[in-house]
Amino acid sequence: MMTRPHVLTVRNLLGVLLVVGLAAVCATAVLALEPWVAPDDAAAKANPVAGKAEATEKGKTVFTTNCVPCHGELGKGDGAAGQYLDPKPKDLSAEATQSQKDGALFWKITNGRGVMPAFGAMIPEEDRWAAINYIRQLAKK
């Protein structure tokens, strides 16, 4: 009896892709249930552009370009793209976000999690800090 070498068929490939896809969905769901807390050393990092008006203006541009699609114009989590995400984007004007240290927000923007992109390689460091200045203004709107 001749044995047939294992051949990756379309059916097998689809099965593998299904398992990998389900694992990714489950991992995202588990992450969504866990509180998203920045490491203490990251949270303690000071914002080098805090309180600078020109940085806040730059932050508005960075926010509009990168954050509005999901978080919405006022940061309420109601952006056009955000409606399709699970979990939904957070309300950046809410106390839960505004009470976090700048360093914690910077770490989250830099590293991302789940459906939140990691902007560390996409947005220059100073611009990420500037975006945090602008996010602080959202609580006042």
Side-chain angles (χ1 to χ4, degrees):
M1 174 174 185
M2 184 182 242
T3 59
R4 187 173 117 176
H6 184 70
V7 177
L8 186 60
T9 64
V10 172
R11 184 176 174 180
N12 289 346
L13 181 60
L14 289 175
V16 169
L17 291 174
L18 177 64
V19 169
V20 169
L22 286 173
V25 168
C26 290
T28 299
V30 168
L31 286 174
L33 297 175
E34 294 178 13
W36 193 15
V37 180
D40 290 340
D41 60 329
K45 199 169 184 183
N47 183 342
V49 296
K52 295 183 180 176
E54 62 277 1
T56 303
E57 278 304 309
K58 175 66 175 176
K60 180 178 182 179
T61 302
V62 173
F63 184 86
T64 300
T65 303
N66 299 284
C67 309
V68 165
C70 296
H71 289 282
E73 216 172 298
L74 299 177
K76 302 287 185 189
D78 58 355
Q83 67 183 322
Y84 301 105
L85 299 176
D86 186 23
K88 299 292 183 213
K90 297 293 183 191
D91 179 349
L92 302 178
S93 68
E95 179 63 24
T97 300
Q98 294 291 323
S99 64
Q100 294 179 50
K101 294 180 178 180
D102 284 1
L105 296 177
F106 181 82
W107 182 83
K108 291 177 180 185
I109 292 167
T110 300
N111 296 294
R113 181 177 92 157
V115 296
M116 168 71 183
F119 286 108
M122 294 183 265
I123 302 173
E125 182 174 337
E126 188 170 310
D127 290 356
R128 283 178 272 143
W129 286 115
I132 293 166
N133 281 10
Y134 183 72
I135 289 168
R136 295 295 183 207
Q137 301 300 309
L138 296 174
K140 301 171 187 173
K141 295 184 178 195

